[in-house]
Amino acid sequence: MFKLDKLGPIRQSLEAIVGPENVRTDEAEILMYSYDAGMARARPEVVLRFTAADQVAPVIKILHAAAIPFVPRLAGTNLSGGTIALKGGAILNLSALKKIHRIDTENRVAVVEPGVVNLELQNALAPFGFFYAPDPASQKVSTIGGNIGENAGGPQCLKYGVTSDNVEKLEVVTPEGEVKTWSYRDPGPDLMSFMIGSEGTLGIVTRAWLKIIKKPEYLQTSAAAFSSLDNAMLAVTKIISSGIVPRALEAMDSVSLEAAGGNSKLSLPNGTEALLIIELDGNDRTRLKETAERIETICAQNSSTYFKTAGTEEERETLWAIRKGAYPAMARLAPNVLVEDGVVPRPKLPEALKETREILSSYKLTASLLFHAGDGNLHPNIIFDGRDMQEVKRVKKAGYEILKSCIRLGGTISGEHGIGVEKRVAMAWLYDPKTLYFFKSLKTAFDPEGLSNPDKILPISVDNRHQVPVAPADLSAGAKTILDELRLRAKSGTKTLVLGSGTKIKASAHKVRPLRLKNLNKLLDLDRENLTVKAEAGIKITELKRQLREQGFALAVPGLEGSLGGTIAAKTFPEIRSLLLGLDIAMADGTALVLGGKTVKNVAGYDAVKLFCGSLGAYGIILSATLKILAADSAGDPRLEPSGEKKALAFEPRDYHYRLKKVLDPENLLNPWIYGGTG
Ligand SMILES: Cc1cc2nc3c(=O)[nH]c(=O)nc-3n(C[C@H](O)[C@H](O)[C@H](O)COP(=O)(O)OP(=O)(O)OC[C@H]3O[C@@H](n4cnc5c(N)ncnc54)[C@H](O)[C@@H]3O)c2cc1C
């Protein structure tokens, strides 16, 4: 922890930038910034309040030179202790950076500062007939910067994607105080998407270019009640796998309904155990009506006891008030609430809920179950009294058991709330030591001194008492052969040309040995209910699309000539980032990394999957990829026939590209000419 006397020599310089009134060390201010919406507490030594975005870089330069750690902070509503100053140092209060610079409806982009509150942006967009898709339940207070820091989601992210899918470009102040502007379309690795969800540990966002969407003409919102939670979950799986893409598909159990007064407000039948809220949107009223009827039929086939479509805006608002009121209603029942945030592949929801209920009952805890059902994202809201240490222990243990259950079911430990301090220990249950080390290397590449929001996301030590056996990487025979070969080459220092199907480069020109991937061409897993496909990297996009079509599914990627791995690595269709859920990677030393998987939301650790988009085979070799797919009869869905950039842009590596190369392939063994020299 740094001592306050370190501040002495730099205080004047800081005051010169932000003003003396904004360098705060008084007790009231320090106490106020010692906590956030999570359970952790720690005192910063100083709170710096910014009134202009261009103050951030010079302040970071000073803090960096003085080796003072810093934590960017906005509304502090994160639920994982992400803004707690674990190492003391400075809290960077960015909440006065609230300018909406531009709303450009022609190019469908809004340019904003990080302190803009999510709902204020929605309100500013409404008169133009536009909206910004991410809509966390905290949107009345949480900010765009915080949403980016956590890769926040919300009900309508089911159709429109999470924060990461809705950002076009970011201005970032690096942990050393340099200003960078990154877009996901830039040639080379997708540094912009990699920043999103990094919880302030890789730098500070000072400006964001956000994708804005034209408001659909019609909304159709329905509620379906069930006398069993299992039946409600079966209906969810059927709705999704039938190709319907609701704007939102939310679920509440009887405890949430009771707390939010849902039973009486909607006159639900006695014995209601679960309520689904299903919202559709579009510009074709007839089609919406037909889809709502299909949904009603699916619910009836799964024994729904009630189905009602809101006939007026007031009725629609009542439904959402019940959903959005459930958390505050629970919070009124006890001094504290822990909101868990595990995710499972959607067809595993019934099992996950059964296990969650058993765990809560075995720890004698009261909780409501609220969840973004369409995303497989569970939010048990456990109420407790934080002054009762025994109860706190039980709550923490139950939370951990729930996360382990999600991992066992092929899921992950956070869908939208982040890891922060509170789930660091659980990272070691989800990832093997090699992957954790890989994440640590990424952090080191961006922040060698470890000053930007230190000690977050990664576990300090692996706690074996809680170890859940993680299934060994389920790799194909072809992938294992590649790994064996890379291990041999690494031993002898042999450099490799990664040969995808469309590679034009000649091995002889670079004194490298080719490694062909075209035999990695199998479709490994088609999960019809989850709407995901896993395929080996060498399969051609056209072939993958053909095989999917035969099975009644579609991939929202243009009919490109190249292979799946090549399309990702060369970023010939940058929008593929929004379809990518997981990658299996062979690193230069022949070890395998399993990143992401079959859950449609995942903010556990750095979004390294995005880093391999545009990595050109120089950071690691993509062995296979898991992607979201659509049911082929999602007729009229514009995503079915996307137009795409079909040519990779010329890539000139720069600073952060080199830094990443150095930690991921220090011997420059893979496609070595990209980073200079052929050995
Ligand atoms: C009642 C309630 C409901 C919630 N519902 C949802 C929900 O539906 N969906 C959801 O996703 N979350 C939800 N959350 C969690 C929380 O609101 C989100 O994580 C939100 O995105 C945090 O925004 P914030 O402005 O409060 O950020 P903060 O909590 O201040 O910061 C969040 C993280 O971002 C980092 N950060 C802050 N500013 C920057 C910056 N400029 N650059 C880089 N990093 C930065 C911080 O260091 C921290 O790690 C809920 C929370 C509550 C209390």
Side-chain angles (χ1 to χ4, degrees):
M1 189 167 287
F2 100 99
K3 298 276 179 293
L4 198 54
D5 58 1
K6 266 198 181 178
L7 189 63
I10 59 166
R11 186 168 195 135
Q12 256 189 337
S13 324
L14 293 172
E15 286 179 354
I17 298 167
V18 296
E21 69 286 10
N22 292 320
V23 179
R24 302 282 298 268
T25 48
D26 52 291
E27 185 60 15
E29 191 82 355
I30 296 298
L31 266 185
M32 202 152 73
Y33 288 94
S34 298
Y35 66 94
D36 59 18
M39 287 160 80
R41 306 284 179 260
R43 285 166 66 90
E45 265 90 357
V46 59
V47 178
L48 302 172
R49 185 169 173 276
F50 293 83
T51 51
D54 61 5
Q55 294 166 343
V56 178
V59 163
I60 296 299
K61 276 201 172 125
I62 293 171
L63 296 176
H64 178 258
I68 294 177
F70 47 86
V71 179
R73 164 157 178 150
L74 282 153
T77 67
N78 78 87
L79 293 164
S80 48
T83 45
I84 295 304
L86 287 180
K87 280 208 157 97
I91 290 279
L92 312 178
N93 175 2
L94 304 161
S95 50
L97 307 182
K98 290 172 79 81
K99 280 199 193 98
I100 297 179
H101 288 288
R102 188 156 48 94
I103 291 176
D104 177 349
T105 52
E106 203 175 312
N107 293 303
R108 307 205 161 196
V109 70
V111 187
V112 305
E113 288 187 341
V116 172
V117 170
N118 182 300
L119 193 63
E120 286 170 6
L121 174 63
Q122 309 290 2
N123 291 341
L125 291 171
F128 297 92
F130 277 76
F131 72 106
Y132 170 61
D135 58 342
S138 57
Q139 69 180 158
K140 279 187 191 160
V141 278
S142 75
T143 62
I144 297 301
N147 296 170
I148 290 171
E150 300 289 357
N151 196 7
Q156 65 200 22
C157 293
L158 174 60
K159 177 164 181 179
Y160 294 105
V162 291
T163 300
S164 176
D165 304 311
N166 288 283
V167 177
E168 294 278 333
K169 198 159 65 162
L170 288 179
E171 180 185 86
V172 175
V173 175
T174 71
E176 285 139 5
E178 301 295 328
V179 182
K180 304 277 170 197
T181 306
W182 289 322
S183 156
Y184 76 93
R185 293 174 200 274
D186 293 341
D190 182 357
L191 301 178
M192 182 210 88
S193 301
F194 179 60
M195 271 300 294
I196 299 173
S198 63
E199 304 188 23
T201 63
L202 305 178
I204 296 145
V205 173
T206 44
R207 188 182 287 222
W209 285 253
L210 307 174
K211 188 164 131 185
I212 56 172
I213 302 170
K214 187 134 183 56
K215 273 195 173 173
E217 280 177 46
Y218 305 109
L219 292 176
Q220 178 122 13
T221 314
S222 309
F226 297 80
S227 58
S228 123
L229 198 50
D230 278 358
N231 286 343
M233 290 309 100
L234 290 174
V236 167
T237 309
K238 277 281 169 265
I239 292 169
I240 298 289
S241 63
S242 71
I244 297 170
V245 188
R247 176 188 177 95
L249 178 40
E250 299 286 297
M252 306 169 68
D253 74 345
S254 53
V255 183
S256 330
L257 269 173
E258 183 64 37
N263 292 310
S264 55
K265 282 181 196 154
L266 300 179
S267 310
L268 295 175
N270 285 340
T272 294
E273 281 293 315
L275 185 80
L276 297 182
I277 297 179
I278 310 139
E279 187 158 273
L280 302 168
D281 68 3
N283 297 332
D284 181 342
R285 192 170 228 164
T286 316
R287 195 153 173 260
L288 275 193
K289 223 168 146 258
E290 280 165 15
T291 311
E293 280 163 15
R294 273 173 71 200
I295 291 175
E296 184 169 2
T297 307
I298 293 172
C299 289
Q301 284 163 349
N302 288 282
S303 312
S304 58
T305 53
Y306 166 104
F307 191 95
K308 191 160 184 253
T309 295
T312 61
E313 182 55 25
E314 201 184 339
E315 283 179 8
R316 176 178 172 265
E317 277 171 14
T318 303
L319 284 179
W320 280 113
I322 293 168
R323 167 62 181 90
K324 292 189 176 167
Y327 169 85
M330 288 303 286
R332 281 194 291 274
L333 297 179
N336 301 86
V337 188
L338 174 82
V339 188
E340 263 312 344
D341 180 36
V343 197
V344 291
R346 293 176 280 219
K348 299 283 184 189
L349 268 175
E351 270 173 89
L353 285 169
K354 182 170 168 287
E355 291 193 13
T356 299
R357 285 179 142 187
E358 284 167 5
I359 292 164
L360 291 167
S361 145
S362 74
Y363 282 95
K364 300 189 174 35
L365 294 167
T366 304
S368 67
L369 300 176
L370 264 178
F371 37 111
H372 305 304
D375 290 325
N377 189 184
L378 294 108
H379 288 327
N381 287 217
I382 311 174
I383 54 172
F384 65 103
D385 183 344
R387 293 163 299 188
D388 176 345
M389 290 324 288
Q390 290 307 321
E391 196 179 27
V392 172
K393 267 192 193 159
R394 288 203 328 272
V395 169
K396 282 193 173 170
K397 278 191 178 165
Y400 286 160
E401 292 296 329
I402 291 170
L403 296 182
K404 286 177 186 173
S405 151
C406 291
I407 296 172
R408 272 195 303 272
L409 293 169
T412 184
I413 56 176
S414 183
E416 54 184 30
H417 294 170
I419 302 302
V421 186
E422 295 180 2
K423 285 191 185 163
R424 285 180 306 179
V425 62
M427 287 285 284
W429 312 332
L430 182 63
Y431 295 110
D432 60 14
K434 170 78 194 168
T435 312
L436 291 173
Y437 183 76
F438 162 75
F439 284 147
K440 198 169 170 198
S441 310
L442 300 178
K443 161 78 175 164
T444 308
F446 271 70
D447 180 20
E449 282 80 24
L451 295 175
S452 194
N453 208 357
D455 291 348
K456 303 286 159 63
I457 300 182
L458 295 169
I460 290 176
S461 65
V462 176
D463 185 344
N464 285 324
R465 280 175 307 155
H466 299 290
Q467 195 80 37
V468 167
V470 177
D474 182 19
L475 295 175
S476 64
K480 284 180 183 147
T481 312
I482 301 271
L483 289 165
D484 289 344
E485 176 66 21
L486 282 175
R487 249 172 255 135
L488 285 177
R489 292 187 185 191
K491 264 192 198 142
S492 61
T494 307
K495 294 184 186 274
T496 292
L497 162 67
V498 187
L499 268 184
S501 62
T503 314
K504 306 267 185 323
I505 291 150
K506 289 218 163 31
S508 54
H510 292 287
K511 297 188 199 134
V512 285
R513 265 182 78 186
L515 186 64
R516 285 173 209 289
L517 302 179
K518 70 172 187 214
N519 293 333
L520 283 183
N521 56 9
K522 291 182 194 56
L523 193 151
L524 298 172
D525 175 49
L526 172 60
D527 189 331
R528 296 166 170 276
E529 294 198 315
N530 196 39
L531 287 185
T532 53
V533 68
K534 180 170 180 175
E536 288 184 318
I539 194 167
K540 289 219 170 190
I541 291 280
T542 44
E543 173 60 14
L544 178 58
K545 281 172 77 88
R546 189 193 64 75
Q547 289 193 30
L548 286 170
R549 207 165 36 243
E550 263 183 22
Q551 304 275 341
F553 297 97
L555 182 68
V557 171
L560 302 169
E561 274 310 302
S563 65
L564 173 62
T567 300
I568 298 166
K571 218 199 261 178
T572 38
F573 177 59
E575 282 69 22
I576 203 167
R577 70 179 180 139
S578 288
L579 306 176
L580 261 183
L581 301 176
L583 290 178
D584 292 342
I585 302 284
M587 300 302 284
D589 62 0
T591 53
L593 290 178
V594 179
L595 302 172
K598 281 167 77 166
T599 56
V600 293
K601 274 165 118 183
N602 180 11
V603 295
Y606 295 116
D607 192 354
V609 165
K610 303 287 166 48
L611 212 48
F612 286 94
C613 289
S615 62
L616 293 168
Y619 289 173
I621 300 177
I622 299 170
L623 297 170
S624 57
T626 303
L627 301 120
K628 290 189 211 173
I629 52 172
L630 296 163
D633 67 353
S634 319
D637 189 324
R639 292 174 302 170
L640 275 176
E641 281 312 323
S643 57
E645 289 166 32
K646 299 198 171 65
K647 237 174 58 197
L649 301 168
F651 170 57
E652 288 280 339
R654 275 177 286 142
D655 42 18
Y656 280 81
H657 305 130
Y658 279 106
R659 288 186 184 205
L660 285 162
K661 176 73 175 173
K662 212 166 157 194
V663 296
L664 300 180
D665 177 14
E667 310 295 328
N668 194 16
L669 294 176
L670 301 176
N671 286 356
W673 66 91
I674 295 174
Y675 284 87
T678 55

